[in-house]
Amino acid sequence: MSETAQFPPPSGRGTVGPPMAVADMADHLDRSEAFTSAFNARLDEAEEFPREACLELDRIGVPHYYVPRDLGGGLDDYTDLVGVVRAVSRKDLTVAIAHVKTFLGGAPSWVAAQEAGDERVTAQARRLADRITGGAVVSWGLTEPGRGSDLLAGQLTAGPVPGGYRLDGRKWPVNNATRSDSLCLLARTGPRNGPRDFTLLMADKSALAAGSYSHLPKARTVGIRGADISGIVLDGAIVPEENTVGPVGSGFELVLKAFQLTRTICAGLSLGAADRALRSTWDFVGRRRLYGRFLSGLPHVRTTLGAQYAACHAAEALASTAARAVRSLPGEMSVYSAVVKALVPEIVDEVIAECGQLLGARAFLREELDHGSFQKLERDHRIVGIFDGNRYVNRQALIRQFPRLVACWNRGDRLEAGVRAATGADEAPPEGVGLQLVSRTGCSLVQALPAAVEGLRASGASEPAIRSAERVLDRCGRLHHRMARYDTRATGIGAELFDAARSYELCVAASAVIHTFLAGADRRHTDTEFGELRLQAALLWILSRLDGYAGDEADRVYGAVADSLEARLAEGDLLLDDAEENRR
């Protein structure tokens, strides 16, 4: 089937309604036929685009969350956008990945407008914002065939012509390349491969001359089978000068800064997948009998589920903190976004794999366990760790900042007000410095870890939790000594440095977990007993990755977490997403 037949032209879009509150979305999607497992399983088998589900997201106003409030949208607190993506991903990752791509396509314009010193850049962003809130689908064309993650090797050119630019070349693979109304394209405008030789341009398909572009066929994928992963060929396509995103030559820098937003938002995809995997597994072990009793009563099963919940809590605390840091610590987002994009999908891949072990053969069957939703989830989530830079790309970006991270740790520097806002203890302070290519202040969250451990002692937390926090702090100090010895300017980055980067990510997550606990205790949002239990469980899980061994008490703590979760589930609570519950 041709792509033109499978993906019709982007006309006849559904009406975008007013934005539904994030806290209400999960219940609404539960009632929608387009989000049922049976419906999505049929689309997956047919490799068909989830059109009805995307139209439903338009009707409940999701596109408003893709546009900043100062440009007429509803995006102010980035935890809301993570919550939106999470709610949709909990139902179906294919739908979430297909729909949220519009935010990715718009993000460079939002960054450019925030930094703009002239009205033209702001006007371009406003026009795009109006189109998105009106239902337009926007794609982001960065990659080209055979060039992998090397964006500076791109060959799509934008040659100057009277009144604009002529585009020649191709982009592939691109999510929604065929279905989109517009594409934000990274094009070569200079003669070399330097960062200043590339510019971003917005190509509106409806304004391109007939025959100046064509679509590349849809790529068949293992997961997200219905998504429009295709490409576009441009042959003399003319775009007006007013469609440049930011100044000429700023394209590569804008991409890197926009990544700091998009990589952070990708955590919502993983958290939604984790929600679904954990809940499906809990439901299964609660009704499956083995050796004369339910699986949920077996000690190994309870320990495994408690450990995976602890892992997810660490990922959740990290993701929420990073999302708030967009406003409260924007100058450090080069660190937080890389940490989140590398670590959170990796954690959730492991959670899904462990859940699959408990589900046994049913994890692989396509007609069992809620219409084969688990095997679809497992396939779909694989892509999350790859797009917008895989974990190695993100860890390399973190490694390049090791010298500054070590220096700031040794001085004990931290932006205290920003940390308190990022961890939910205070409202976000007024924005100061914007997004930066590298953090000049290191990672305030890690640099606040010693103070957080002191705060834990002062809070009256349990001794086991304090001991775990002290172990993490000790490992964090030793890690910085290692990091100081590395030559991060070398052309080749060895495995030891990537291992150090992952350890650093775990330290960031540990600080987020401790700060989240302290903020919750301050606001009385966290049940004291369960809050301390999951604090200790998450820290033990992190220590198991830092040391290879959590400690003798780990199995007991994980089992106790399972006991508490079972009671909470019996009362109808969510496994995760306490922040969403608190907004209800």
Side-chain angles (χ1 to χ4, degrees):
M1 179 181 291
S2 71
E3 289 307 294
T4 303
Q6 185 167 3
F7 297 129
S11 57
R13 296 290 184 197
T15 302
V16 175
M20 177 178 287
V22 179
D24 296 329
M25 285 188 183
D27 289 340
H28 178 86
L29 298 181
D30 281 342
R31 297 190 296 270
S32 173
E33 172 66 23
F35 284 88
T36 61
S37 296
F39 189 87
N40 286 313
R42 290 196 296 272
L43 295 181
D44 185 61
E45 289 289 339
E47 301 186 22
E48 184 177 340
F49 189 85
R51 181 177 181 275
E52 291 80 1
C54 288
L55 290 176
E56 181 62 23
L57 295 180
D58 286 348
R59 282 192 286 270
I60 63 175
V62 168
H64 290 283
Y65 287 102
Y66 299 157
V67 175
R69 185 161 293 171
D70 57 4
L71 291 173
L75 177 58
D76 184 33
D77 183 346
Y78 273 75
T79 59
D80 283 341
L81 182 51
V82 171
V84 169
V85 176
R86 182 177 188 172
V88 180
S89 301
R90 190 181 292 141
K91 301 299 294 182
D92 190 80
L93 270 169
T94 302
V95 176
I97 290 169
H99 202 273
V100 78
K101 186 65 178 184
T102 290
F103 171 73
L104 276 63
S109 292
W110 314 154
V111 174
Q114 187 178 43
E115 299 181 346
D118 64 85
E119 180 57 30
R120 183 201 65 76
V121 176
T122 304
Q124 183 275 327
R126 288 199 186 104
R127 290 194 301 273
L128 181 63
D130 290 343
R131 297 200 69 210
I132 290 174
T133 55
V137 175
V138 182
S139 189
W140 199 8
L142 298 179
T143 53
E144 297 182 12
R147 310 202 184 277
S149 300
D150 187 1
L151 299 183
L152 293 180
Q155 295 300 310
L156 185 142
T157 60
V161 295
Y165 293 88
R166 170 184 168 134
L167 296 175
D168 292 281
R170 60 181 60 198
K171 292 292 182 180
W172 179 94
V174 176
N175 187 5
N176 280 346
T178 303
R179 289 189 63 87
S180 60
D181 301 271
S182 299
L183 293 97
C184 181
L185 299 168
L186 182 66
R188 181 184 291 273
T189 49
R192 293 177 293 275
N193 291 343
R196 293 295 176 186
D197 290 308
F198 292 84
T199 302
L200 286 169
L201 299 101
M202 191 66 62
D204 179 2
K205 291 180 182 177
S206 66
L208 298 180
S212 65
Y213 75 95
S214 60
H215 296 125
L216 294 170
K218 176 185 183 300
R220 300 192 68 190
T221 53
V222 174
I224 57 168
R225 291 175 176 173
D228 170 17
I229 308 298
S230 55
I232 189 167
V233 178
L234 298 123
D235 184 9
I238 306 298
V239 297
E241 186 176 3
E242 65 184 18
N243 280 23
T244 55
V245 179
V248 173
S250 68
F252 187 67
E253 179 176 337
L254 286 175
V255 167
L256 294 183
K257 290 181 177 179
F259 274 158
Q260 295 175 23
L261 305 178
T262 62
R263 288 170 174 171
T264 302
I265 296 307
C266 284
L269 299 169
S270 291
L271 292 177
D275 292 340
R276 181 67 175 269
L278 278 176
R279 189 55 195 252
S280 296
T281 307
W282 273 96
D283 290 345
F284 175 77
V285 301
R287 65 176 185 270
R288 173 68 171 170
R289 296 184 71 88
L290 190 65
Y291 309 125
R293 56 176 170 170
F294 290 112
L295 275 178
S296 58
L298 297 177
H300 169 69
V301 172
R302 301 185 75 75
T303 298
T304 299
L305 286 172
Q308 298 320 306
Y309 174 84
C312 288
H313 177 55
E316 181 179 52
L318 173 60
S320 297
T321 301
R324 286 189 288 265
V326 172
R327 290 189 60 199
S328 62
L329 294 166
E332 298 182 1
M333 283 307 298
S334 62
V335 175
Y336 301 118
S337 59
V339 168
V340 167
K341 186 59 174 60
L343 187 60
V344 172
E346 185 174 270
I347 289 174
V348 174
D349 277 339
E350 180 180 322
V351 168
I352 292 172
E354 288 293 322
C355 288
Q357 290 296 312
L358 294 180
L359 295 172
R362 284 166 179 78
F364 296 91
L365 300 179
R366 293 162 70 175
E367 296 180 356
E368 296 283 336
L369 202 65
D370 197 20
H371 304 278
S373 62
F374 188 87
Q375 57 85 26
K376 180 180 185 303
L377 171 72
E378 185 176 36
R379 287 186 284 107
D380 288 352
H381 187 260
R382 293 182 194 178
I383 191 64
V384 180
I386 297 173
F387 59 64
D388 273 20
N390 61 34
R391 68 188 58 157
Y392 299 105
V393 168
N394 283 282
R395 284 177 179 156
Q396 181 169 315
L398 185 62
I399 288 167
R400 297 299 187 193
Q401 300 189 67
F402 275 7
R404 182 58 62 92
L405 296 175
V406 170
C408 291
W409 167 269
N410 289 338
R411 291 196 303 265
D413 294 346
R414 65 179 183 272
L415 302 176
E416 185 61 37
V419 171
R420 289 187 60 80
T423 55
D426 286 331
E427 294 299 318
E431 293 186 40
V433 63
L435 299 173
Q436 302 293 312
L437 293 180
V438 295
S439 173
R440 299 172 183 172
T441 52
C443 178
S444 289
L445 188 61
V446 165
Q447 290 142 214
L449 184 58
V453 175
E454 284 298 322
L456 207 56
R457 296 189 187 103
S459 73
S462 66
E463 280 302 315
I466 293 173
R467 285 197 303 271
S468 295
E470 289 173 339
R471 282 180 62 191
V472 170
L473 179 58
D474 176 70
R475 303 309 183 270
C476 190
R478 295 183 188 185
L479 172 64
H480 281 85
H481 284 299
R482 285 171 52 202
M483 290 163 56
R485 300 196 304 266
Y486 296 135
D487 180 7
T488 61
R489 296 169 297 176
T491 303
I493 296 178
E496 187 178 2
L497 274 79
F498 281 107
D499 179 66
R502 185 173 187 271
S503 295
Y504 191 88
E505 294 158 12
L506 290 165
C507 291
V508 179
S511 187
V513 167
I514 297 172
H515 278 95
T516 297
F517 170 80
L518 293 173
D522 288 345
R523 294 185 169 194
R524 301 171 185 261
H525 281 176
T526 304
D527 173 74
T528 303
E529 184 176 353
F530 182 68
E532 288 197 12
L533 185 60
R534 73 174 187 175
L535 165 69
Q536 187 182 2
L539 291 177
L540 286 171
W541 183 88
I542 289 170
L543 282 166
S544 73
R545 270 56 190 172
L546 287 172
D547 289 351
Y549 176 63
D552 295 337
E553 72 273 31
D555 285 355
R556 178 191 60 78
V557 172
Y558 296 152
V561 167
D563 293 340
S564 295
L565 289 174
E566 194 167 56
R568 288 162 64 88
L569 285 171
E571 297 174 1
D573 288 350
L574 293 172
L575 277 173
L576 296 168
D577 216 4
D578 284 346
E580 180 177 302
E581 283 291 285
N582 290 333
R583 286 196 293 264
R584 288 184 183 274

